[in-house]
Amino acid sequence: MLKRTHTCGQLRPDDIGKKIILSGWVHNWRDHGNIYFLDLRDRYGITQLVIDAEKTPDIHKQVQKIRCEWVVAVEGTVRKRGEENPKLPTGSIEILVEKIEVLNEAATPPFELADAGKISEELRLKYRYLDLRRPQMQSRLETRHRITKIARDYYNELGFWEIETPMLAKSTPEGARDFLVPCRLFKNTFYALPQSPQLFKQILMMSGTDKYFQIVRCFRDEDPRADRQAEFTQIDVEASFVDTNDIISIHEKLIAKFWKEILDIEIPLPIRRMGYKEAVDNYGIDRPDLRFDMKLKDVSDIAKNSTFKVFKTVIEKGGVVRGICCPSRLGGPGGSQILTRNYIEKDLTAFVADYGAKGIVWLKVSDEGGKLSCTGSVAKFFDAAQLEQIAKRFDAKNGDTLLFIADTLKNANKALAPLRCRLGKDVKLYGEGRFEFVWITDFPLFEWNEEENRCDSTHHPFTAPIEADLAKLDTDPLSITSQAYDIVVNGSEIGGGSIRIHRPEIQQKIFDLLKITRQQAQDRFGFFLRALDYGTPPHGGIALGLDRMIMILTGTDNIRDVIAFPKTQKGQCLMTEAPSSVDQKQLDELNLMLKPEK
Amino acid sequence: MLKRTHTCGQLRPDDIGKKIILSGWVHNWRDHGNIYFLDLRDRYGITQLVIDAEKTPDIHKQVQKIRCEWVVAVEGTVRKRGEENPKLPTGSIEILVEKIEVLNEAATPPFELADAGKISEELRLKYRYLDLRRPQMQSRLETRHRITKIARDYYNELGFWEIETPMLAKSTPEGARDFLVPCRLFKNTFYALPQSPQLFKQILMMSGTDKYFQIVRCFRDEDPRADRQAEFTQIDVEASFVDTNDIISIHEKLIAKFWKEILDIEIPLPIRRMGYKEAVDNYGIDRPDLRFDMKLKDVSDIAKNSTFKVFKTVIEKGGVVRGICCPSRLGGPGGSQILTRNYIEKDLTAFVADYGAKGIVWLKVSDEGGKLSCTGSVAKFFDAAQLEQIAKRFDAKNGDTLLFIADTLKNANKALAPLRCRLGKDVKLYGEGRFEFVWITDFPLFEWNEEENRCDSTHHPFTAPIEADLAKLDTDPLSITSQAYDIVVNGSEIGGGSIRIHRPEIQQKIFDLLKITRQQAQDRFGFFLRALDYGTPPHGGIALGLDRMIMILTGTDNIRDVIAFPKTQKGQCLMTEAPSSVDQKQLDELNLMLKPEK
C-alpha cells in the first residue's frame, strides 16, 4: 500500500518539485483527451491530480475506469498549476501522477455529494457515511470536537475534574419519561438512562469533589419534536461554596471563548442580565431575542375604554390586550412593503394560531405633521385621543404596523413572543452573524399547576430559593424568587442552572409543596435525602446544551446536522434501522413479554 | 456566607499574617482546654484551625458542639504553627480563627473516614459520598480526570476528532449479551446499548473522518465477575490509511505519557513485541507477565519414556506434560523456605483446581558437585539421565522446585499461566512499582469452535487477515494470521485492536467461515455491509480499557475503586438502589408485561 506523505489539503507552491504520496476519494474527474484530471478529496481538502497520456500511458489507461468515490493512493510530483483555482487552498499546485493504486472501488452513490443540500433528509440519513463526506458536514464534526476540547481545557485549567456518572441509573419518574433498561440478574427490575446527572453531580459535591464537570449523554423519552433528540449531550457542571455570580462569571467567559475561537467574534463581557419579570413583560417569554427591540406593550387600559367588543370582553374576563409595533417595510421607510393585509391576515394569523391565538387585530400608524393616528378596520372603535395614545405607547412612526392579541396574559404572551421573533426575521430587523446574549435571573421558584392544584418547580425541585424568601415557604410560596439562571442567545436558551438546596429541611419543604408524599420522596429520592444529611456544602451549577450551541455556532436550524449519527424525530436511525425487534430468547432472559395484540 | 479566599491545601509560611477565609469539612478536633483545634478538610488538603478561649470566648463556646463532617467556613489569620506537622503540606502554619460559620450540620457518619479501608465494601458503596471524601478516593478521581485529559490533548494534537456515537443503538447479538432499551414510539422494538462503537467508528472511516477517537461508555450484560462492570469506559480510536505500526507507535507513546505524567516512570520505547505463538509457548497465555522469566517448558518427550503412568496416559491421548521452575525460597538461596510440601499440595493444588487442573506433580532439584538431579515422590519413575535432562531443560539450580501439569496443551496452559503469575508474586520475583509492557501480535485470525463445528473470530469478525494469508481463506482458514495487536502490562491486557477488513468480498468470506448466513448477516450487519460498498478506505484502530488502566496506575485491584459510582458484581448500585421496580404505567407505555410467576 502506498502510504501518504501529505494530506489533500496540505500542498502549497513551496512544495513544488517534491515527490509525494496522497490518498483519498475521487471527488471528480475531467477527461481532456491526452490529459486526465482527477480531484482527490480527504478530510483536509482537495488536490488536483494530472495524468498525462504521453508520459504515463498505462496510468492514463488505468484511470479511465476509476469512478467517483473510489479510494485511491497516488505517487507523483508537485508542480505549478496552469490555471490557478483561488477557491482551493491547494489551488496553486497540482500533482503529476506517476503511480496510482486503487485501494477500494465504490458502488455508484445514490446521490451526488454536491447535491446533498437538495435531496431528502431521509436519503442523507440512510447513507449517512456518504452525507458525512461532504466538507460542510466534516466541518460541523470538527467544530463539535473543538468546542468540547475548548470546554475541557477551560474547566481543567480552573481545577474542575471530569467525573463519569452512571448511565445505568435509577428511575425517578418526574418531568420527562425515562428510558428503561430491563435488568436480567434481578428479575422485574429496571435501570433508567439518566435524564441528566443532576442528583449524581450534587452527590459529588457532598463527596467533597468541589468542582465537577462532564460532557455527558442524557436521555429523554419525549414525544417527537423537530428540534429534540432522545439522546442529547450536555456540558454539565457543579461547584461547591459558590454563588450565582461565580457560576455566571465562569460560564460567560467560556461562552465568549467559544464564540471567539470558532467564529472569531468578541462577546463583550459581562453579558447583560435581565430579571424574569422584565423579560416576560417586555418580550412575552423568558428567552428573549435581543437582536432587535420591538417590546411588547400592554394597551388594556386604553382598549377597555374603546367600543371594540372583542377587546372589552377579554379585558372584562381578566385578560389583556398586548401588542407589538413593527415597521411595515423591509429595512425601514425606503424598503419594500412587507406587512401587507394579506401577509398579516393570512400568514401571521395562521402562524399565531399554531400558538393558540384566535386572531390578530392590527392598526397602521400615520404621522401627519407630528400628529400621530392609526387607521385600519378597528380604528373606528377608538377615538382620536385613544389612537394617538396607542401609537405613542409604542413610540410608533409613520407607516408602522401595530399588531395586537387579546387573550389571557399567558396566552397573549405565548403567541406574541414567537410573532415578535418571526417579524424580526421577516422584516430583517437585525443583520446576519449578530449574537445577543442575556442571562435571565430571578425566576419564580414555583409555578402554579392548576390541574393538580399544587406548586410545580419552575426549574427542578433542587433549586434553592433566595435566602431572603425562605420564610415565604410557609406563607406565600408562589412569590418566592429562586437562585436560578438561564443563558439565552438570540432567543434560544443554551443553558441553565441554579444554586441548589443544601439543607435537608428545606429540601423536604419543597417536596411537600410539590405534593410529593414522604413515601414517594423516599422511594424516588431517599438516597439523596439521606446524603443531604451528612454534611452537604452549599453548591450550584449549570448545564449547557451542547447540540443547540453547536447548531448556533455552525449556523444550522437542524439538530441532526450537528450529530454524527442522529435519529429521526420519531427516534429511528435510518442507517442502522434501530430500534428493531429482538430474539424471543433475549426477552426470555429478561423475564419480559410483549403485550399480546388486542 | 463567608466565601473562601484559599483552599485547605494552599497556605504556606509565606502566607503568615494574612487574613483568609477557608471552607470545608471538620476532619478532626482536639479539645485542649482553653485551646481548641479543628482540622478543616477539603479536596485540596487539611489545615489546622485554632480557637483560643481567651481571645474569642464566643467562638470557643460555639465550636464545642461542632462535630466531624460538619461543613464550616472560618475567617482568621495565618500564623506559624507551634509544632510543625511534616506530613501535611500545610503543616507549618495554622489559622487563628476569628469568625466561624456553620454552613451545614452532619449526621454522625456510619463509619469513620479514616477507617474506610477496614470496613465492608457494602457500607462504603451505600454511603459512597462519605467514602469518596477520603483523600485516597479523591486522588483516584483526579487521576482518572488527568488520564482522560492527557489522552484528549494527545489525540487532538495528532488531528484526531472526538466524535460521539449513539448510545441508543441496534442490537446485533454476538459475543456478549446486549442491554436492551424498549422503544415506546415503535411498539415491540428495542434499542441496544453499545458493547463498543466498533461499527460506528468503522463507518466514520467510511465517512472520511480520517482520525477518530472517543472516550466512551460501553455496556455488556455479562454474568457477574469480580473485575468487570456492566458499564465500563474505553478509549476508542480509529484511523484511515494506516497500518499496524502506525497504531502501535501512536499508542505506545500515549501509554508512556500516562506513566510519565501520573507515576513519573519512563517507559523505554519502542515497547517490545511478541508473537502470539511465542507468548503461548513460553507463558501459556497471550498476556504474559514479563516482570519475571520462569518460562513454561514442555517435557513430554522425556515423560513419555518414564514409568509414571499418569504422564504416559496423558501423552498417549495426545496431551502434554508442561512445567515451570521456581526458586523454593523467598528472594533466592538465602531466603526463607516458601515452596513447602504443604504450600504446593494444599494451596497451589487448590489454586490450579480453579483453572480445571486435576493436580500438580513436583520435583525438587539438587545439584551435587555439578551433577543435577531431582527428588520427590515421582522421581522414582525416572532414571538419573531423565531427571538430569529435566532439570537441564529448565536451567534449574540447586533447591529449585519444578511443578508440572499433565493435560491437553490447552488445559495445561490454562492452569500453568496463572500458577506462574501466582508464584512470581508469592516468591517475590519482581519488585514493586515495576511495569513490563509487551505488544502481542500475529494472532491467529480464527479459533476452532468444536461444539459449533465452525471457526470463531479470535478478536472480532472485522479483523483483517494479513495480506499474505488472504488465499488461505478458501483453503486453510485456521492457519491465517490476523492483523490484530494487544497491549499487555504485567500480565493484564489493557488494550487491543487491529487493522480492519475494508473489502466487502473479504468481509463476506469471513461471515461465511463464521457460519453467519447471508440472511443473518443482512439482519445484523446489513447497513455495515452496504456501507463497505461505497468506497471504504483501509483503516484500523484500537480500544484501551480505561478502568483497568487507571487501576494499574493507582495501584488497586478493585475496579470499583476507580469509578465514582460503581455497581456491585451483580450490577446493583447500593447507594441509589438501582435497578428497581417501576410503575405499571411505565411498562404499559412500552407495551411490555412481566412474565407471570410459574
Side-chain angles (χ1 to χ4, degrees), chain B residues 316-387:
Chain B
E316 274 160 23
K317 284 188 186 159
V320 298
V321 178
R322 307 195 88 199
I324 47 181
C325 170
C326 184
S328 302
R329 290 170 184 281
L330 273 179
S336 60
Q337 175 79 12
I338 173 163
L339 263 65
T340 60
R341 172 185 288 258
N342 203 45
Y343 171 80
I344 298 171
E345 296 189 351
K346 291 248 166 83
D347 296 7
L348 296 187
T349 304
F351 178 79
V352 296
D354 282 350
Y355 298 91
K358 285 168 223 84
I360 297 175
V361 170
W362 60 286
L363 289 168
K364 193 116 190 190
V365 177
S366 61
D367 181 350
E368 289 173 13
K371 174 77 182 156
L372 284 174
S373 188
C374 302
T375 58
S377 59
V378 300
K380 62 185 174 215
F381 300 114
F382 295 83
D383 64 29
Q386 287 170 331
L387 291 173

Side-chain angles (χ1 to χ4, degrees), chain A residues 29-292:
Chain A
W29 79 88
R30 294 176 302 287
D31 188 351
H32 288 193
N34 271 351
I35 302 287
Y36 200 94
F37 293 102
L38 281 183
D39 284 341
L40 194 65
R41 186 196 69 236
D42 64 13
R43 189 186 93 181
Y44 310 89
I46 290 177
T47 299
Q48 176 165 291
L49 312 178
V50 189
I51 297 99
D52 185 331
E54 290 188 9
K55 291 183 180 158
T56 52
D58 288 355
I59 299 179
H60 190 265
K61 204 173 156 194
Q62 191 186 352
V63 295
Q64 307 290 324
K65 64 167 204 235
I66 292 178
R67 292 288 168 267
C68 276
E69 300 310 317
W70 285 32
V71 186
V72 303
V74 297
E75 189 171 283
T77 305
V78 186
R79 70 180 196 187
K80 194 171 155 43
R81 189 156 159 170
E83 203 169 326
E84 295 201 4
N85 179 348
K87 285 189 207 151
L88 288 182
T90 61
S92 305
I93 58 94
E94 63 187 13
I95 310 298
L96 185 64
V97 174
E98 287 140 28
K99 198 167 168 188
I100 192 161
E101 192 181 335
V102 172
L103 300 175
N104 218 344
E105 303 189 359
T108 306
F111 55 88
E112 286 202 32
L113 266 54
D115 292 341
K118 293 174 237 159
I119 63 153
S120 79
E121 196 182 12
E122 283 70 43
L123 207 59
R124 284 177 54 204
L125 290 175
K126 180 170 180 187
Y127 296 93
R128 189 62 163 178
Y129 35 91
L130 299 178
D131 188 32
L132 286 177
R133 283 183 199 167
R134 296 189 292 131
Q136 188 184 33
M137 294 302 284
Q138 289 289 315
S139 159
R140 287 175 179 145
L141 293 180
E142 182 179 18
T143 298
R144 191 171 178 114
H145 162 72
R146 287 178 60 203
I147 284 288
T148 57
K149 186 66 174 60
I150 292 165
R152 287 187 163 105
D153 289 349
Y154 181 77
Y155 289 117
N156 179 68
E157 196 63 38
L158 293 180
F160 285 80
W161 291 345
E162 186 158 25
I163 297 173
E164 295 176 76
T165 53
M167 291 281 136
L168 297 174
K170 183 180 161 73
S171 181
T172 56
E174 30 111 43
R177 226 177 260 108
D178 283 327
F179 278 104
L180 297 181
V181 183
C183 173
R184 181 176 56 88
L185 293 174
F186 295 90
K187 294 262 177 282
N188 306 343
T189 66
F190 296 79
Y191 302 101
L193 300 178
Q195 296 187 26
S196 95
Q198 183 65 33
L199 295 180
F200 284 109
K201 70 176 172 174
Q202 292 194 239
I203 284 182
L204 281 171
M205 295 305 105
M206 302 169 198
S207 306
T209 303
D210 207 71
K211 289 176 180 161
Y212 145 94
F213 82 100
Q214 190 182 190
I215 301 184
V216 61
R217 206 73 57 84
C218 302
F219 303 84
R220 287 186 198 169
D221 185 10
E222 290 175 309
D223 290 322
R225 250 178 70 176
D227 62 342
R228 289 278 173 86
Q229 290 273 304
E231 54 177 311
F232 59 96
T233 304
Q234 70 188 31
I235 302 181
D236 196 54
V237 184
E238 199 79 7
S240 294
F241 307 113
V242 294
D243 59 26
T244 297
N245 285 335
D246 295 319
I247 301 292
I248 284 187
S249 160
I250 288 170
H251 286 87
E252 61 190 19
K253 284 182 196 124
L254 175 60
I255 286 165
K257 217 179 237 291
F258 289 153
W259 259 255
K260 178 65 187 165
E261 297 199 18
I262 303 299
L263 298 175
D264 198 23
I265 288 175
E266 300 277 356
I267 297 174
L269 294 185
I271 287 171
R272 81 177 99 174
R273 300 191 196 179
M274 186 182 288
Y276 171 84
K277 192 176 174 320
E278 183 185 341
V280 173
D281 280 355
N282 287 336
Y283 306 99
I285 198 164
D286 57 2
R287 42 185 168 86
D289 187 341
L290 299 183
R291 283 176 294 183
F292 59 104

Side-chain angles (χ1 to χ4, degrees), chain B residues 467-486:
Chain B
E467 288 288 316
D469 283 357
L470 277 179
K472 294 193 199 166
L473 280 169
D474 297 319
T475 56
D476 186 10
L478 285 169
S479 78
I480 295 175
T481 298
S482 79
Q483 298 192 55
Y485 31 81
D486 281 356

